[in-house]
Amino acid sequence: MGHDETITGRIAAPNPIANDGSEERFCSTCAFGSVCIGRGVDKIALHELHCLVEHVGPYQAGDVVFRHGERFDAIYAVRAGTVKTRLLDLEGRELVLGFHLPGELIGLDAIHAEEYPCDAVALDTVEVCRFSFPALSTLATRLPGVQQELFRRMSKDIGGNVLLVGDYSADERLAAFLVTLGQRYADRGFPVGLLHLAMSRGDIANYLRLAAETVSRVLRRFQDQGLIRVEGRDLTIAKPAELFALARPILKR
């Protein structure tokens, strides 16, 4: 999963690929792993759910997993890489809605309208697990844990969408983005405080509703203050308590 150390002894940057599963064991970032592992159920015992999974990919950067307006028939769990969700207006201008890491579901917001409300675009080499929604719905009626996990993920997505709504400064927005992204990586077993920014600075700015120049300026200031260290697309949170203090007005915890 990209946790290995390099020959120099430095912890390698996150390589968001969940390829550590087997016929008996779930991938460590499996979107439904918490349901099954938490109940002491392995892949063999949960054969029905296993049979629903179709591994799709790889997609390369810029490839589309699903498009706005397409008929909804499946939920996707990111298995490798990072996926961006977006909308395009009539002028072709992009609105970034979110970024999705291994173990996270995309397509849940299509259930009501029965069509995908946005595009899902690969930001790097991406693999996904495809779950047929009609089959998954039927299975969920017999496995309450799967149904509860779906509801939990939907609720979490709704909460995440309003995370950055409000009259917050650029420093607060970017700090909250880095803190929450770092926590999402840590939740998936990657080294604490080590992030891989598969998205561009422009994508981050778009998502945070800031100018790209503003994001670059704030990142430089965070580096000058010693809050973060940046090497290309790899970012280390060097002073987590101080960065969290900046993000506190948004995170409120």
Side-chain angles (χ1 to χ4, degrees), residues 41-110:
V41 182
D42 60 19
K43 268 187 176 178
I44 296 175
L46 204 62
H47 183 68
E48 289 179 279
L49 179 59
H50 185 204
C51 289
L52 294 181
V53 180
E54 176 188 0
H55 290 166
V56 183
Y59 298 91
Q60 302 306 318
D63 290 346
V64 177
V65 180
F66 57 75
R67 294 185 184 277
H68 172 242
E70 287 182 346
R71 184 177 66 85
F72 168 67
D73 59 358
I75 292 172
Y76 295 83
V78 182
R79 184 168 182 257
T82 306
V83 173
K84 170 178 69 175
T85 47
R86 70 173 187 193
L87 282 173
L88 297 176
D89 67 14
L90 294 177
E91 305 282 325
R93 290 171 297 200
E94 184 177 65
L95 178 67
V96 177
L97 303 176
F99 306 103
H100 306 271
L101 308 179
E104 296 181 345
L105 297 173
I106 51 177
L108 285 174
D109 50 357

Side-chain angles (χ1 to χ4, degrees), residues 18 26-34 77 102-103 131 153:
F26 287 93
C27 294
S28 52
T29 59
C30 176
F32 290 100
S34 60
F131 295 85
R153 297 299 182 104

Side-chain angles (χ1 to χ4, degrees), residues 12 34-35 59 62 77 86 103 109 112 169 195 221 233 239 251:
S34 60
V35 176
Y59 298 91
R86 70 173 187 193
D109 50 357
H112 175 69
S169 70
L195 289 65
R221 184 162 64 250
R233 291 187 179 272
K239 296 182 178 179
L251 301 181

Side-chain angles (χ1 to χ4, degrees), residues 11-247:
I11 298 295
N15 180 23
I17 297 178
N19 59 357
D20 56 349
S22 67
E23 288 301 313
E24 296 83 22
R25 188 164 53 87
F26 287 93
C27 294
S28 52
T29 59
C30 176
F32 290 100
S34 60
V35 176
C36 309
I37 295 170
R39 300 169 74 91
V41 182
D42 60 19
K43 268 187 176 178
I44 296 175
L46 204 62
H47 183 68
E48 289 179 279
L49 179 59
H50 185 204
C51 289
L52 294 181
V53 180
E54 176 188 0
H55 290 166
V56 183
Y59 298 91
Q60 302 306 318
D63 290 346
V64 177
V65 180
F66 57 75
R67 294 185 184 277
H68 172 242
E70 287 182 346
R71 184 177 66 85
F72 168 67
D73 59 358
I75 292 172
Y76 295 83
V78 182
R79 184 168 182 257
T82 306
V83 173
K84 170 178 69 175
T85 47
R86 70 173 187 193
L87 282 173
L88 297 176
D89 67 14
L90 294 177
E91 305 282 325
R93 290 171 297 200
E94 184 177 65
L95 178 67
V96 177
L97 303 176
F99 306 103
H100 306 271
L101 308 179
E104 296 181 345
L105 297 173
I106 51 177
L108 285 174
D109 50 357
I111 293 174
H112 175 69
E114 297 184 343
E115 64 179 36
Y116 295 106
C118 60
D119 300 332
V121 182
L123 290 179
D124 47 16
T125 302
V126 165
E127 296 179 12
V128 297
C129 294
R130 182 184 185 277
F131 295 85
S132 165
F133 187 70
L136 186 61
S137 300
T138 300
L139 181 60
T141 62
R142 302 201 305 276
L143 295 171
V146 172
Q147 189 175 64
Q148 289 167 12
E149 183 67 8
L150 284 172
F151 289 151
R152 189 182 72 83
R153 297 299 182 104
M154 291 171 69
S155 176
K156 188 174 182 179
D157 283 351
I158 292 169
N161 289 337
V162 299
L163 179 65
L164 298 175
V165 175
D167 186 19
Y168 300 112
S169 70
D171 287 38
E172 291 166 339
R173 288 176 186 269
L174 190 56
F177 174 75
L178 295 177
V179 168
T180 54
L181 188 64
Q183 185 59 58
R184 287 160 63 193
Y185 268 119
D187 289 346
R188 281 147 189 82
F190 295 106
V192 175
L194 189 59
L195 289 65
H196 179 69
L197 302 179
M199 66 293 294
S200 68
R201 303 292 190 269
D203 279 343
I204 295 172
N206 188 313
Y207 173 66
L208 298 178
R209 313 303 182 244
L210 298 170
E213 298 79 9
T214 300
V215 167
S216 295
R217 185 173 65 252
V218 174
L219 282 174
R220 283 195 299 270
R221 184 162 64 250
F222 284 178
Q223 290 182 80
D224 292 342
Q225 294 170 345
L227 301 178
I228 61 173
R229 294 190 299 271
V230 180
E231 283 187 54
R233 291 187 179 272
D234 299 327
L235 183 148
T236 302
I237 299 176
K239 296 182 178 179
E242 293 183 27
L243 192 66
F244 179 78
L246 278 174

